[in-house]
Amino acid sequence: MDMWILWLVLGLIMIMVELFTGTLYFLWFGLGAMVTAFISYIFPDNIWLQLTVAVVIVLALSLATPKFAKKFG
């Protein structure tokens, strides 16, 4: 199984979980996994790049959530 398929499925699962929770945090994990699926498709053998992209995206979006929620909430 290709890693990009695994990342894509993980992202879809996280986004579906977000639909039931409404906390915005699973959405960020889902988006991070989706972007990582794209990176994995381009660079299939570079697992460290994939993990780095996933961690950076999830951390950036998670840290931006309070500011985002305050602005629109």
Side-chain angles (χ1 to χ4, degrees), residues 18 23-33 57-58 61-65 68:
E18 176 60 36
T23 60
L24 286 180
Y25 289 106
F26 286 104
L27 178 64
W28 305 147
F29 282 101
L31 289 176
I57 289 174
V58 170
L61 291 173
S62 294
L63 292 173
T65 297
F68 177 76

Side-chain angles (χ1 to χ4, degrees), residues 3-4 12 14 16 18 23 27 30 32 34 39 42 51 53 55 58 65-67 69 73:
M3 283 299 289
W4 71 270
L12 291 173
M14 290 294 166
M16 286 191 299
E18 176 60 36
T23 60
L27 178 64
M34 296 286 217
I39 296 298
I42 296 171
L51 292 174
V53 167
V55 167
V58 170
T65 297
K67 187 180 227 182

Side-chain angles (χ1 to χ4, degrees), residues 1-67:
M1 176 187 268
D2 292 329
M3 283 299 289
W4 71 270
I5 295 172
L6 181 67
W7 284 110
L8 186 65
V9 169
L10 182 64
L12 291 173
I13 289 170
M14 290 294 166
I15 290 174
M16 286 191 299
V17 168
E18 176 60 36
L19 291 173
F20 293 108
T21 62
T23 60
L24 286 180
Y25 289 106
F26 286 104
L27 178 64
W28 305 147
F29 282 101
L31 289 176
M34 296 286 217
V35 172
T36 305
F38 179 72
I39 296 298
S40 178
Y41 184 75
I42 296 171
F43 302 106
D45 296 329
N46 197 341
I47 190 70
W48 289 110
L49 176 64
Q50 296 170 29
L51 292 174
T52 303
V53 167
V55 167
V56 167
I57 289 174
V58 170
L59 280 175
L61 291 173
S62 294
L63 292 173
T65 297
K67 187 180 227 182

